[in-house]
Amino acid sequence: IIVSKKKIKKVVDVGFIPGIYNYCDRWCEKCEQQLRCMSFVMGKKIEEKGGFNFEREGHREDESIWARLKEVFESTYEVLHELAEERGLNVEDIYASENIDREFWGEDYEGTPREQVYQKLESSDLLRICSIYEYWADKCLEQLYEIINDKEKNELLEEALEVVGWYPDLIQAKIRRALYGYHYHTANKSKTTEDYNGSAKVALIGVERSIENWKIIQPLCPAYQKEISHLLVVLEQLRSDADEYFPKARTFVRPGFDN
C-alpha cells in the first residue's frame, strides 16, 4: 500500500514525525523529540485519563484477558480520535502516515514461514551474545549498585550506571526485531525498504553507548576491573557481529533522529 505524500505531509505539518518511535531507544524522558512522537503524546493522554486500570470496580476476577484487551483497544482508539480532532486530522490520515512498513507488521505476513524464521532466530549467535551480555551485565550492576549506596555521591558514576542499566534488554529486543525482519525479507525476496536496518542501528547505538559508559565506570570501581573488561569484550564482539550481519544499518536514516 502506497501512502500519499500529501497524507504524510499533513501529519508532519501538525508536529508529528511518522514512525519515529520505531527507531528510538524508548528512553522518553531523555528524548528531545517527545512532542513529535505519536506514541509518547498518546501515552501521556492515556495517563491523564487514568491509564488502563484493570482493578477498578466492575471488572470480574474471572474476566477473560480478551475482554480486557478489547477495552484497551477501544480506549486507545478514543484517545487517538481525540488527538486527531485536536490537531485537525482524520484518524485515517494518522493510520496511513504511521504505517511505515505495512509488509513488516501487517496482513502481508500471513502465510509466511514464521516457524522457520523463529527457528533461525533462536539459533542465532547474535542473540546468544545478547543473552550472555544481558545476564552478566545484570549480575555486575547488582553488585555495583550496592557499592554506590555505601559510597559518597558520584554523579559521573551514577549517570554511567544509569546508561548501562538501560540498554541490555533493549539491545536484545532490537537485535531480535532486526533479525526477524532480515529473515522475513530474505525468505520472501522482498524489495521493500529494509526497515530492519533501523532496528539494528538502534541496537548498535545502545552497544556503543554501553561501551563508552562501562569505560567510565571501570576506573571508578577498581574492584570490578576484571568483570567490566569481560563485559567490554562481549560488547565489542556484539558490535563486530552486528556490523557484519547488518552492513547497511549505520547508513539507515532514522526519521527525526538522523535527518
Side-chain angles (χ1 to χ4, degrees):
I1 291 177
I2 298 172
V3 181
S4 72
K5 290 182 179 180
K6 187 177 179 181
K7 283 191 174 182
I8 293 177
K9 184 177 185 301
K10 192 172 181 182
V11 173
V12 171
D13 285 347
V14 298
F16 289 122
I17 300 174
I20 188 172
Y21 45 78
N22 287 324
Y23 311 108
C24 71
D25 61 9
R26 303 297 187 201
W27 209 339
C28 297
E29 64 190 69
K30 294 185 180 290
C31 181
E32 296 179 355
Q33 302 284 7
Q34 289 176 350
L35 299 181
R36 305 194 71 191
C37 173
M38 182 79 69
S39 177
F40 176 82
V41 174
M42 280 193 63
K44 283 299 178 185
K45 289 186 77 67
I46 289 169
E47 276 181 31
E48 289 168 8
K49 291 176 176 292
F52 301 123
N53 183 8
F54 291 134
E55 304 302 320
R56 69 179 181 279
E57 187 177 348
H59 275 297
R60 303 191 315 272
E61 287 185 11
D62 63 343
E63 188 172 18
S64 77
I65 186 64
W66 303 113
R68 298 188 183 196
L69 282 174
K70 180 175 180 289
E71 180 178 322
V72 169
F73 295 144
E74 287 174 350
S75 299
T76 303
Y77 180 79
E78 286 174 13
V79 171
L80 184 60
H81 196 276
E82 184 181 308
L83 181 61
E85 282 189 343
E86 287 176 4
R87 304 287 178 114
L89 298 168
N90 294 318
V91 174
E92 292 73 19
D93 294 332
I94 293 175
Y95 282 154
S97 66
E98 291 294 323
N99 193 9
I100 300 303
D101 192 349
R102 174 174 283 274
E103 183 175 290
F104 186 86
W105 292 113
E107 298 85 353
D108 293 336
Y109 251 162
E110 294 302 320
T112 60
R114 293 189 185 198
E115 188 176 345
Q116 196 175 17
V117 171
Y118 282 127
Q119 286 173 353
K120 287 181 179 179
L121 280 186
E122 296 315 314
S123 63
S124 165
D125 287 340
L126 261 178
L127 280 182
R128 288 199 187 103
I129 297 172
C130 288
S131 296
I132 290 167
Y133 172 68
E134 186 172 352
Y135 177 80
W136 288 111
D138 287 346
K139 288 283 185 187
C140 189
L141 283 166
E142 268 180 43
Q143 297 169 29
L144 289 172
Y145 285 137
E146 288 177 14
I147 288 178
I148 305 188
N149 293 332
D150 298 331
K151 283 187 169 186
E152 288 184 25
K153 187 175 178 66
N154 183 321
E155 288 186 10
L156 182 63
L157 176 59
E158 288 182 4
E159 287 174 10
L161 284 170
E162 185 182 19
V163 172
V164 296
W166 184 262
Y167 284 105
D169 59 337
L170 183 130
I171 290 169
Q172 178 160 188
K174 290 297 183 181
I175 288 290
R176 182 177 291 275
R177 186 179 187 276
L179 285 168
Y180 194 98
Y182 171 80
H183 288 302
Y184 168 74
H185 284 289
T186 301
N188 290 275
K189 297 180 180 177
S190 171
K191 295 180 180 179
T192 57
T193 303
E194 296 173 343
D195 171 79
Y196 58 82
N197 281 314
S199 295
K201 184 171 187 174
V202 177
L204 280 165
I205 289 169
V207 167
E208 292 184 336
R209 289 204 71 199
S210 298
I211 290 171
E212 177 186 334
N213 282 275
W214 277 121
K215 287 180 177 179
I216 291 171
I217 295 166
Q218 197 169 29
L220 298 174
C221 300
Y224 290 89
Q225 292 267 351
K226 185 177 179 181
E227 289 85 348
I228 294 172
S229 291
H230 289 163
L231 288 171
L232 287 170
V233 168
V234 175
L235 283 170
E236 292 286 1
Q237 184 65 53
L238 181 54
R239 176 166 64 180
S240 173
D241 287 2
D243 271 328
E244 185 175 348
Y245 213 103
F246 303 103
K248 297 181 181 178
R250 290 185 184 273
T251 56
F252 184 91
V253 178
R254 297 173 301 150
F257 296 110
D258 301 326
N259 57 358

